[in-house]
Amino acid sequence: MTDAPLPADQPFRVSMLVYDRRYRSMTFQVIVFILVMAVAWWLVNNTIQNLAAQGKDFNFGFLFQRAGYDIPQTSIPYNSDDWHLRATIVGLLNTIIVSVLGCVAATILGVSIGVARLSKNWLFARLMTIYVETFRNIPLLLWILIIYALFTEIMPPPNAYRGEDPAWSKILFDQVALTNRYTAIPALGMTNDPGTLDLGARITVNWAVIAFLVAIIGGWFIRGAILDRAQAIQDRTGIRPTTWWINLAVMTVPSLLLIWYFGLHLLAPELKGFNFAGGINLGNAFVVLWLALTLYTGAFIAEIVRAGILSVSHGQSEAAFALGLRPNRTMNLVILPQALRVIIPPLISQYLNLMKNSSLAIAVGYMDLRGTLGGTTLNQTGRELESIVLMMLIYLILSLMISGGMNVFNSRVKLKER
C-alpha cells in the first residue's frame, strides 16, 4: 500500500478511499463511527426488548408524579407534595452547593499546605507532610464516617448553651454554635429590604442579591478594561501606569455602598426554646460532607501545588532575591505564576473527583442528587434504569462544565509562545 496521493487531475475511483491518504483517514473514521453506532443501537434495542419482556417501558413520566418524601435541607421551596422532578432539582442544587464550597475551601487549604511543605522550618514542614500522607492514604468514606462520629458523639446538644454559665460557648466571635444535630451560623439581615423578584415555581430572588451581582460583574468588566488600557500604554510608552488602587476601588466601593444602603448586618443565632433561632442551622450531614471533602481533596491539591512549585527553576527565585524581592513577593509574583501551567491540569481532575465524590453523601444522610434521584425516587418508582441514566447524564454534564471552564482558565494563564 502506497501513501503517495494520486495526481490532482486523476478521476475519482472507489479504490482511492483506501489507497489515497486524502480520503483514507476519513474512510476509517466513517467505518469506526458506523460500528460504534451499531453497537450502541444493539445495546439500546436489547435493553428495550428485555424491559418489554418484563412488562416495563422506558420513559421519564415518573418525574411528574408526587414525590411523597421530605428533604431536610433545601435551597429552593420544596414539600412532599411536589413532583419527583423538583426533588431531583433540589438534590442537584445540594450537590452543586457542596461541590462549589468544597472546591473553594480545598483550593485555599491545598495551596497553603503545599507552600507550607516547602518551608525551611523542619517541624512545620513535617507536620504538613503527616497531614498530606494521612488524608491521601485513607479512603474518603472512612473520613466522612469518622468526622460524622466526632460531630454526633463529641459535640453538645443545643441545651448545653443555655444559662448564664453554659457548659459550651459559641465560637468565632460568639457567632457560631456547634451542636450534635446542626451547626448554627449567622444569617444576613437588612434594615432596608428592597423586596424580592418572583421567578415563578415558588422561587424568589431578593433584589439586593441582583444588585450585588450587577455590581460585581460590572466591576469585573471595568477592571478588565482598565488592565487592557494599562497594557496598551505600556506597549506604547514602556511605562505601565499604576492601576491597583483603581481596580481595588472598582471591585469594592460599589459593594460597600450597597452594604451601607441596604443596611446589611449579621443576625447571630440565639437559643430560643429547644433550638437556635435567628441564624441558619446547617445540618451536620452537610457540614461533615463539606469538611471531609475539603480535607481529603486539599491533601491532593497540596501535592499538586508542591510539585508545580518545584518544577520552576531555582534560578528564578535566586534572580528575584537578587533584585531585592522578599520571599513572599517572590512566591506570589515569580514562582506561582509559572507553576500554574503545571498545577492547573491535574487540579481540574481534583475538582472533578470532588464533585463525583460528593455522591458519598448518602453515608451521612445528606440528600444530594444521589440521595434523591438515585435513592428515594428510584426506590419509590421502581424506575431503576431511567433514574441511573438520568443521574449519569447529569454528572456527565457537570463534569464537562467544570472541565470546560478550567480549560478556558488554563488557556488564559499558560505561557504564550512567540
Side-chain angles (χ1 to χ4, degrees):
M1 182 182 296
T2 177
D3 287 338
L6 297 176
D9 57 351
Q10 180 72 24
F12 178 79
R13 298 194 306 271
V14 176
S15 60
M16 294 171 62
L17 295 176
V18 176
Y19 294 103
D20 192 334
R21 62 186 178 188
R22 291 177 299 176
Y23 306 104
R24 188 169 58 212
S25 60
M26 183 62 67
T27 301
F28 290 156
Q29 292 180 52
V30 170
I31 293 174
V32 171
F33 176 78
I34 293 175
L35 292 176
V36 171
M37 290 297 100
V39 171
W41 170 252
W42 178 81
L43 290 174
V44 171
N45 186 59
N46 187 57
T47 302
I48 294 175
Q49 290 180 359
N50 290 335
L51 288 174
Q54 298 179 11
K56 295 183 178 181
D57 59 352
F58 185 82
N59 67 78
F60 294 94
F62 70 95
L63 292 174
F64 303 98
Q65 298 174 2
R66 180 178 179 272
Y69 63 92
D70 294 322
I71 300 178
Q73 194 161 344
T74 64
S75 54
I76 61 174
Y78 170 83
N79 58 63
S80 58
D81 291 327
D82 286 320
W83 291 341
H84 285 291
L85 177 61
R86 194 176 184 91
T88 299
I89 295 174
V90 171
L92 173 61
L93 291 176
N94 286 345
T95 294
I96 293 174
I97 290 172
V98 74
S99 298
V100 171
L101 294 178
C103 287
V104 172
T107 301
I108 296 174
L109 179 65
V111 171
S112 303
I113 299 297
V115 174
R117 285 202 63 189
L118 300 174
S119 172
K120 294 182 180 180
N121 186 315
W122 183 87
L123 179 60
F124 186 55
R126 297 290 81 75
L127 289 175
M128 296 301 101
T129 302
I130 292 174
Y131 158 77
V132 170
E133 296 302 328
T134 300
F135 276 90
R136 287 179 65 201
N137 293 289
I138 295 179
L140 174 59
L141 180 59
L142 291 182
W143 283 119
I144 293 175
L145 297 177
I146 290 172
I147 297 175
Y148 188 73
L150 292 176
F151 268 74
T152 55
E153 299 297 332
I154 296 179
M155 297 302 171
N159 60 16
Y161 293 87
R162 190 186 307 277
E164 297 181 356
D165 187 21
W168 282 71
S169 299
K170 291 186 285 187
I171 61 175
L172 297 179
F173 306 102
D174 205 33
Q175 297 291 318
V176 178
L178 302 174
T179 74
N180 58 1
R181 286 186 286 171
Y182 52 80
T183 299
I185 64 174
L188 279 178
M190 287 185 290
T191 56
N192 185 19
D193 193 336
T196 59
L197 173 65
D198 188 0
L199 300 179
R202 307 201 316 272
I203 300 176
T204 59
V205 178
N206 195 288
W207 282 107
V209 175
I210 298 175
F212 275 102
L213 289 176
V214 171
I216 294 172
I217 296 174
W220 184 264
F221 280 106
I222 295 174
R223 172 184 172 274
I226 293 173
L227 293 177
D228 292 340
R229 179 177 177 274
Q231 186 64 44
I233 294 175
Q234 182 180 4
D235 294 340
R236 186 173 64 253
T237 64
I239 300 175
R240 187 177 184 88
T242 302
T243 59
W244 67 268
W245 62 273
I246 302 177
N247 292 330
L248 181 63
V250 166
M251 295 298 296
T252 58
V253 170
S255 296
L256 293 175
L257 290 176
L258 290 175
I259 291 174
W260 169 79
Y261 176 76
F262 293 124
L264 289 182
H265 57 278
L266 292 178
L267 299 174
E270 298 293 340
L271 186 62
K272 296 181 179 180
F274 295 101
N275 289 294
F276 281 91
I280 301 175
N281 295 338
L282 298 176
N284 277 346
F286 168 79
V287 177
V288 166
L289 179 65
W290 170 75
L291 189 59
L293 289 173
T294 298
L295 294 175
Y296 182 79
T297 309
F300 289 89
I301 294 178
E303 282 297 274
I304 293 172
V305 171
R306 185 179 71 93
I309 293 174
L310 291 178
S311 69
V312 179
S313 173
H314 189 62
Q316 296 287 323
S317 57
E318 292 179 344
F321 295 151
L323 293 174
L325 292 179
R326 295 180 178 180
N328 60 337
R329 299 286 289 176
T330 300
M331 179 62 67
N332 294 333
L333 300 178
V334 179
I335 305 300
L336 282 181
Q338 297 184 71
L340 282 177
R341 70 184 191 273
V342 178
I343 292 174
I344 291 179
L347 188 63
I348 299 174
S349 298
Q350 292 306 315
Y351 288 162
L352 295 175
N353 288 337
L354 187 148
M355 185 271 296
K356 290 180 286 188
N357 286 337
S358 67
S359 60
L360 293 173
I362 194 68
V364 289
Y366 180 66
M367 296 295 285
D368 65 337
L369 183 64
R370 169 66 179 85
T372 54
L373 177 61
T376 308
T377 293
L378 184 151
N379 292 328
Q380 285 188 357
T381 62
R383 294 287 180 173
E384 303 89 352
L385 182 60
E386 292 89 336
S387 298
I388 296 300
V389 169
L390 184 57
M391 189 166 55
M392 290 172 60
L393 288 176
I394 293 175
Y395 276 115
L396 176 62
I397 293 173
L398 290 177
S399 298
L400 292 177
M401 291 175 61
I402 295 174
S403 179
M406 290 299 296
N407 284 331
V408 171
F409 177 72
N410 184 39
S411 65
R412 293 177 63 90
V413 302
K414 70 179 182 181
L415 293 179
K416 304 295 191 298
E417 297 182 358
R418 292 181 173 85

